[in-house]
Amino acid sequence: NTVHQLTGSGRGVLGDRKTFEVDHKYGKYYLKGTSRGGGIKTYNAYHVIYESQLPGTMVSSKTNYFLDGAAVDAHAYAEKVYDYFKNVHGRNSYDGNGAPVISSVHVGRNWNNAAWIGTQMVYGDGDGIVFRPLSGALDVVGHELTHAITEKTANLEYHNESGALNESISDIFGAMVDSGDWLLGEDVYTPKQSGDAFRSMSNPTQYDQPDHYSRYVRLPDTPDGDYGGVHINSGINNKAAYLLAEGGTHYGVNVTGIGRAKTAKIYYRALTLYLTSRSTFADMRQAAIKAATDLYGSASQEVQSVKNAYSAVGVY
Ligand code: ASN
Ligand code: ZN
Ligand code: CA
């Protein structure tokens, strides 16, 4: 579908130049790409806080050069994440059927968060101290759009163990699209402090997450309790995914790394075929073993590494 494809350009949150697909109508350019599934569309929420007022107004420009860095990144990174799932996993958008990918930037005032809200992604601008505009991180965009895929597939309930798996799956694919590191949010977290991030998959304890099932944190299933610590206990599965890809010895268990690409294949297959809404960590282990068996055979190194990675984090 290369008919009427128009290219726009601009600088992202970090000042980096990039190009992306735009649309042109009645003499104005819009952050709307039409070549990917049902389209990639990016809106300015103008600081609204109520979902009823979203998505806001589609971001436009008199020329094909766009000046809003948060909007440029939300748009360009949504394209990148769409392309990752299409090219690597053969998935056409989050629903597998070309659903339009909608994002709103400038949501709320100085909001230090981003989310998938069931119909679209929303990004705060950050307060400039804890966060820059959150769409400035490809791994954050990948994390949020993966929530949409999870909702349409395993539909992992967002509390307790299934919720921690939901969070971890978003971290895993957020890291996979942002190839090269195992940190989440490093590009937008604490602009005045370099080298940090809001989560680490290689060393979850660095940001107060458990890295072994024996250290699972029991919190109430309430908003204040992070629905049973879904953003905390995700560290356990994140560490298993990291060990599977990179290898290492953890609590005395040695894991042979199989690389990021095979690890992504295994988690994608587990998510879309074997995990269910009430899956536990033990179910995740079995789902990953099944996926790896399908892909590489029951006697493969890949299956052995999955078993060892989960044993290393105390999940059997
Ligand atoms: N950034 C958070 C997340 O994606 C927002 C939330 O908790 N819904 O997990
Ligand atoms: Zn999340
Ligand atoms: Ca990262």
Side-chain angles (χ1 to χ4, degrees):
N1 190 352
T2 50
V3 190
H4 288 303
Q5 234 178 290
L6 282 172
T7 300
S9 67
R11 289 185 191 272
V13 169
L14 299 181
D16 49 331
R17 284 206 56 140
K18 58 193 71 187
T19 60
F20 38 81
E21 204 189 340
V22 298
D23 198 13
H24 188 230
K25 205 174 179 183
Y26 307 133
K28 267 164 82 172
Y29 292 86
Y30 290 90
L31 290 185
K32 176 184 178 183
T34 54
S35 75
R36 292 169 175 86
I40 310 269
K41 306 173 195 181
T42 303
Y43 294 77
N44 188 335
Y46 292 104
H47 307 294
V48 302
I49 57 170
Y50 296 107
E51 283 189 29
S52 61
Q53 304 190 61
L54 291 171
T57 308
M58 195 179 288
V59 177
S60 66
S61 173
K62 286 184 188 177
T63 70
N64 68 343
Y65 190 83
F66 286 75
L67 289 166
D68 182 340
V72 161
D73 274 343
H75 195 68
Y77 290 160
E79 289 184 342
K80 278 201 178 196
V81 177
Y82 175 97
D83 290 347
Y84 169 81
F85 281 105
K86 183 75 171 36
N87 297 336
V88 177
H89 301 294
R91 187 178 192 84
N92 178 11
S93 193
Y94 60 87
D95 68 345
N97 197 30
V101 176
I102 299 168
S103 310
S104 297
V105 296
H106 309 303
V107 171
R109 295 230 176 241
N110 303 327
W111 186 43
N112 284 318
N113 214 339
W116 166 256
I117 61 167
T119 49
Q120 65 162 98
M121 291 177 283
V122 290
Y123 298 99
D125 289 326
D127 60 10
I129 304 297
V130 180
F131 277 106
R132 304 180 209 269
L134 280 92
S135 58
L138 176 56
D139 52 15
V140 169
V141 175
H143 176 108
E144 300 309 342
L145 197 46
T146 301
H147 276 310
I149 297 177
T150 296
E151 186 182 288
K152 296 291 185 187
T153 56
N155 196 23
L156 289 157
E157 288 182 11
Y158 205 65
H159 60 180
N160 303 327
E161 288 198 21
S162 57
L165 290 173
N166 188 321
E167 268 305 308
S168 174
I169 293 289
S170 274
D171 281 352
I172 289 168
F173 289 106
M176 292 295 177
V177 295
D178 191 14
S179 57
D181 71 78
W182 294 97
L183 300 174
L184 274 301
E186 67 281 358
D187 289 344
V188 289
Y189 188 63
T190 56
K192 289 166 198 181
Q193 188 161 327
S194 67
D196 63 348
F198 59 80
R199 283 189 288 278
S200 166
M201 299 178 67
S202 54
N203 184 15
T205 62
Q206 195 175 345
Y207 300 105
D208 303 315
Q209 291 188 293
D211 64 357
H212 192 275
Y213 194 62
S214 64
R215 303 199 172 204
Y216 188 93
V217 178
R218 296 206 174 276
L219 287 170
D221 180 10
T222 59
D224 276 358
D226 190 27
Y227 302 102
V230 297
H231 295 90
I232 295 170
N233 294 308
S234 54
I236 296 164
N237 197 62
N238 282 355
K239 181 77 189 199
Y242 165 80
L243 287 167
L244 179 58
E246 303 289 349
T249 302
H250 188 53
Y251 293 99
V253 178
N254 186 68
V255 185
T256 299
I258 64 168
R260 290 171 73 105
K262 287 177 176 175
T263 297
K265 295 293 276 184
I266 290 168
Y267 280 100
Y268 183 79
R269 193 169 178 88
L271 175 68
T272 54
L273 287 179
Y274 298 124
L275 291 174
T276 64
S277 59
R278 297 191 173 203
S279 289
T280 62
F281 282 24
D283 296 331
M284 175 75 251
R285 175 188 171 110
Q286 292 309 319
I289 291 170
K290 276 189 203 152
T293 301
D294 296 346
L295 291 163
Y296 307 108
S298 57
S300 62
Q301 175 63 56
E302 288 81 359
V303 167
Q304 192 55 52
S305 289
V306 169
K307 291 176 180 172
N308 293 346
Y310 279 93
S311 298
V313 298
V315 172
Y316 293 93

